[in-house]
Each structure stands twice: as C-alpha cells, then as structure tokens.
Amino acid sequence: MAWDTEGTRRRLKEAATVEFAQYGPDGTTMTRIAERAGINKERLYKYFGDKESLFESVLRDELEKLAAAVTPPADGLKDIGEFAGRTFDYHAAHPELARLLLWEGLAGGPPADEANRTEHYRRKVRAFAAAQRDGALTDDLDPAYLAFLVIGLAAWWHAAPQLTRMLSGLDPDDPDERTRRRAFVVRAAERLALPYREA
Amino acid sequence: MAWDTEGTRRRLKEAATVEFAQYGPDGTTMTRIAERAGINKERLYKYFGDKESLFESVLRDELEKLAAAVTPPADGLKDIGEFAGRTFDYHAAHPELARLLLWEGLAGGPPADEANRTEHYRRKVRAFAAAQRDGALTDDLDPAYLAFLVIGLAAWWHAAPQLTRMLSGLDPDDPDERTRRRAFVVRAAERLALPYREA
DNA sequence: GGTAACTACAACGTTGCCGTTGGATTAGAG
DNA sequence: CTCTAATCCAACGGCAACGTTGTAGTTACC
C-alpha cells in the first residue's frame, strides 16, 4: 500500500475535530484522537505539535470551510433573511463549528488565526454599513452589533441546547423542528434588520 | 471563635463559582477551589460530594439568583425592551452565570435541576403567548423561540467574546461600550417582538 | 468535665494524561 | 538491492488531579 501522508494528516484532523467539538480542549485526550483515527498517537505530535496547536489548526480549518460555504449575498444584504437562513443551515449541518467557537471563547485565550478573522469580520461589518447607507437595512442599529447578532441567530441554538430543550421540549434533530427554527431565524433577521414597513 | 458552618459552606461555594465559571468543570480543580476559599479541600467533599455535584449546586444557586433578581414585568411584557435590558444588566454584572450555562450546555449531560428550570421557562413562554394574544407582542413569531432569543440577546455577548472583540475592537468592560450594548439589546428586542408600527 | 461535632493538616493510593523515545516494520525511490 | 522515510508499537518519566483517610486540635453542649 502506498504512503498516504496527506490522508493520514486528514484522518487525524477529522478525528481531532470530532473529539474537540465533543469534549473541548480539556476533555479531549490525544490518545483518543489517535484511536478514533486508527493511527498511532505519535503521528499526532509529528504532524501537529502539541494539543493546543492541534486545536487551533482544527478551528482554523472549520472557519475556512464556513467562509467558503456561506458566501455573503451579492445583492447587498437586502435579502438578509436568507443570508441568516443559510448561515443557520450551515451550523445545523456542521454543529462542530459552533461548539469549537464556544470552547475557544470560554477558554479565554487569544483567538486562533486572529488577524485573518478580524479582517473577515471587518469586511462583513463594512458590508452591513454599506447596505444601511443604501437603505436596504435599517440604520437604526449599529452595523457591528447587527452583524454580531445575525451570527448569534444562527449559532445560539447550539450554545444553549439545554434551554432549547427545556423551552420547547422538542428534539433539535427532528427535521420539522429544524425547518421551523430556520423559518424563525429568517423572519427574526428580517424584523431586526429591514427598515420598518408599513403595517 | 464560633463555628460558622454556613459561612464555610458559603465561602466554598463562592470560590467554586468563580473557578467553575472561569475554567469550566474540566479545567477546575478541587484543590484550587479550596485554596481560593482558604479552607481545606476535605471540607469540600464533606459538604458537596464530588466535583459534579458541586458544579450542579453552584449552577442551581446562580439560576435562583437570576430568577430572584430579574422578575418578569408586571405589565404583560409590552415593555419587552426594558425586560431584555434588565436581563442584559444582570448578565453584565454577573458574567459567571452565562459562562456556567455555556459550560453546562457544552458538557451535554442532563441539565441540573431540570424540573424546576423547565417549569420556570414554560411559565415564561406562557407569559409571552399571553402577551401575543393581548396584542402587546407580535404574533408573527413562536413564543418559545421568541423567549429563547430574548435570553440570547442578553447572553450571546458572553458566549462569543472573541467575536465581539474582533468585530468591534472594543473593550467589553468599558462603561460606554456597555451602555451602547444595552441600548442595542433594548432596541433589538423591541424590533423583534413588538407589533409593527406605522412607519 | 465529658462527649460529639466541626475543622485543619498532611499524606496517601490510584488513575489518567501529556509528550517523548527507541526500536521494529513497511513501503517507495534511485 | 539499498537507502530513506513513513508508520507502528510499547513503554516510559513526569506530573497533576480525584477522592480518602488518619490524626490532632477546637468548639459547642449536656
């Protein structure tokens, strides 16, 4: 069988993603990551260094995937509901990302890949501000906070799964429930961000 | 000096609250809790059992404090903006609670004190539904989701502190920044939940 | 004064994880 | 075939955490 170092690397990182998302940086063990990947633990250290570096590497990858999958709408955010809906879809399909972000936030250290991410968010804020100037979005709210909140609309469900269960009593994995949540996210984003319409 | 078993208990729990909020259930050590409280570790086990029980006890207490401090408005939620604002104030003044809730959510086990909390939330949802029937709130949105989102409005800042820093570049502890955030929360809640007004 | 409860202190056994190492296998490249 | 590089395997040292225990001192209460 041929050497497949890229495959080895990929399998390790996939396993690390699952484990980190599930158990967090503290609760995850390097041994279990290696076992899940079916690869010797020693490979982890050769490829990724220590646990912290591995976590950052995992998070960076997942953020890149999100950015690639959920492109901002070309029409200047006037369809902000759908944009929020698509962000929600991504998080629903990839719940690991939200969890990784929450672990990172709770850990409290400096964010991984901070420079790139900051630039990415600043671009988003500028797009929101531009849409406000065009009248596509309400100028009643600060664009940075608005962008922050739209992200929250999509991710908050994963941040407090206990609350959703206690509040609604419904299974988050039920397809109907997911559809309802998505519709809510879309409408909430519209109510928040669109200029008031005539009643 | 007189025995002060209640004081000992309280000091231990306060120390545990700080440590758990900061480092999470995994990152917290019983030894450090005892050191912070200035009380021998062995007392922890006599009073609270193992680490998991202590965490649940801490969380239960903090939730009770929130419920006692932020009472639902008597006027049937037509002033939902202020209600959201007061919830925000509480979380801003007691950031431990949000962090404890996030740790709990990420851990994934069954929520501490589930029965009481479920009942508490169900009451909230009924209040929202009643306000919708009265026309004080829009009936465009599911009351459970709406309640969930209003909580999120107040807590999301603490869930993703990296994002707020990268998006706005501002210090969350700056008083002016806090005032702005509060105003945003109030307006966002109103835009979300109040019936459309004539433009 | 004697007894029971509370507390302090220190050390313990056990367990588990991190990150490393040395050597044995396996596969490709010249 | 030989040399190099990737992988596996097993074990290691070091450390820190959990939860317990035994002993000694302190306070309340009868």
Side-chain angles (χ1 to χ4, degrees), chain A residues 7-81:
Chain A
T8 299
R9 207 187 169 81
R10 184 180 42 75
R11 278 193 293 160
L12 283 173
K13 195 174 277 190
E14 282 171 3
T17 305
V18 175
E19 293 284 330
F20 276 132
Q22 180 86 24
Y23 302 106
D26 282 337
T28 294
T29 75
M30 298 295 266
T31 301
R32 224 171 34 217
I33 293 174
E35 280 171 1
R36 175 183 287 270
I39 291 173
N40 197 270
K41 174 172 70 158
E42 167 253 349
R43 292 287 92 193
L44 265 180
Y45 289 93
K46 297 282 182 195
Y47 279 136
F48 300 102
D50 61 9
K51 187 155 84 161
E52 194 182 327
S53 306
L54 176 57
F55 181 79
E56 288 175 14
S57 174
V58 162
L59 182 54
R60 197 162 39 229
D61 269 29
E62 292 300 310
L63 283 169
E64 270 173 26
K65 286 192 213 163
L66 167 67
V70 182
T71 56
D75 56 2
L77 282 173
K78 76 178 195 310
D79 208 354
I80 188 157

Side-chain angles (χ1 to χ4, degrees), chain B residues 1-164:
Chain B
M1 207 186 302
W3 287 128
D4 181 14
T5 97
E6 268 320 301
T8 300
R9 208 186 167 82
R10 183 181 41 76
R11 278 192 294 159
L12 283 173
K13 196 175 275 190
E14 281 171 4
T17 305
V18 175
E19 292 284 331
F20 275 132
Q22 180 85 22
Y23 302 106
D26 282 337
T28 294
T29 76
M30 299 295 267
T31 300
R32 224 173 31 219
I33 293 174
E35 280 170 1
R36 174 182 288 270
I39 291 173
N40 197 271
K41 175 172 71 160
E42 168 252 352
R43 292 287 93 191
L44 265 180
Y45 289 94
K46 296 283 182 196
Y47 278 137
F48 300 103
D50 61 8
K51 186 155 83 161
E52 194 183 329
S53 306
L54 177 56
F55 182 80
E56 288 176 15
S57 175
V58 162
L59 182 54
R60 196 162 40 229
D61 270 28
E62 292 300 311
L63 284 169
E64 270 174 26
K65 287 191 213 163
L66 167 68
V70 183
T71 56
D75 58 0
L77 282 172
K78 78 179 193 308
D79 208 354
I80 186 155
E82 261 317 298
F83 177 61
R86 284 187 12 242
T87 307
F88 174 85
D89 289 337
Y90 186 86
H91 277 105
H94 305 90
E96 312 87 33
L97 173 58
R99 292 178 60 90
L100 291 170
L101 284 172
L102 291 167
W103 289 120
E104 184 198 35
L106 285 171
D113 200 21
E114 183 164 15
N116 278 337
R117 287 162 75 184
T118 300
E119 178 49 31
H120 175 254
Y121 288 127
R122 292 288 157 82
R123 254 203 309 275
K124 258 201 174 45
V125 172
R126 283 198 297 272
F128 271 74
Q132 290 181 319
R133 278 194 303 276
D134 297 343
L137 299 184
T138 179
D139 57 1
D140 191 37
L141 298 171
D142 180 283
Y145 294 162
L146 194 53
F148 175 65
L149 186 49
V150 170
I151 296 174
L153 265 177
W156 176 234
W157 311 86
H158 300 280
Q162 331 102 290
L163 296 196
T164 64

Side-chain angles (χ1 to χ4, degrees), chain A:
Chain A
M1 210 185 300
W3 290 127
D4 180 14
T5 95
E6 266 323 300
T8 299
R9 207 187 169 81
R10 184 180 42 75
R11 278 193 293 160
L12 283 173
K13 195 174 277 190
E14 282 171 3
T17 305
V18 175
E19 293 284 330
F20 276 132
Q22 180 86 24
Y23 302 106
D26 282 337
T28 294
T29 75
M30 298 295 266
T31 301
R32 224 171 34 217
I33 293 174
E35 280 171 1
R36 175 183 287 270
I39 291 173
N40 197 270
K41 174 172 70 158
E42 167 253 349
R43 292 287 92 193
L44 265 180
Y45 289 93
K46 297 282 182 195
Y47 279 136
F48 300 102
D50 61 9
K51 187 155 84 161
E52 194 182 327
S53 306
L54 176 57
F55 181 79
E56 288 175 14
S57 174
V58 162
L59 182 54
R60 197 162 39 229
D61 269 29
E62 292 300 310
L63 283 169
E64 270 173 26
K65 286 192 213 163
L66 167 67
V70 182
T71 56
D75 56 2
L77 282 173
K78 76 178 195 310
D79 208 354
I80 188 157
E82 260 317 298
F83 178 60
R86 280 181 21 236
T87 307
F88 174 86
D89 289 338
Y90 186 87
H91 277 105
H94 305 91
E96 313 87 34
L97 173 58
R99 293 178 59 90
L100 291 170
L101 285 172
L102 291 167
W103 290 119
E104 184 198 33
L106 285 171
D113 200 21
E114 183 163 15
N116 278 336
R117 286 163 76 184
T118 301
E119 178 49 32
H120 176 253
Y121 288 127
R122 293 287 157 83
R123 253 204 310 275
K124 258 200 175 47
V125 173
R126 283 197 296 272
F128 272 74
Q132 290 181 319
R133 279 194 303 276
D134 297 345
L137 299 184
T138 179
D139 56 3
D140 191 37
L141 299 172
D142 181 281
Y145 294 163
L146 194 54
F148 176 63
L149 185 49
V150 171
I151 296 175
L153 265 178
W156 176 235
W157 311 87
H158 299 281
Q162 329 102 290
L163 296 196
T164 64
R165 231 192 17 239
M166 288 187 282
L167 271 161
S168 75
L170 297 171
D171 177 9
D173 294 328
D174 179 76
D176 287 348
E177 172 63 8
R178 196 152 117 184
T179 303
R180 281 192 294 272
R181 289 184 181 181
R182 188 192 199 277
F184 173 79
V185 167
V186 171
R187 256 182 302 179
E190 289 172 350
R191 289 186 65 99
L192 267 172
L194 294 184
Y196 276 132
R197 295 167 295 200
E198 306 288 327

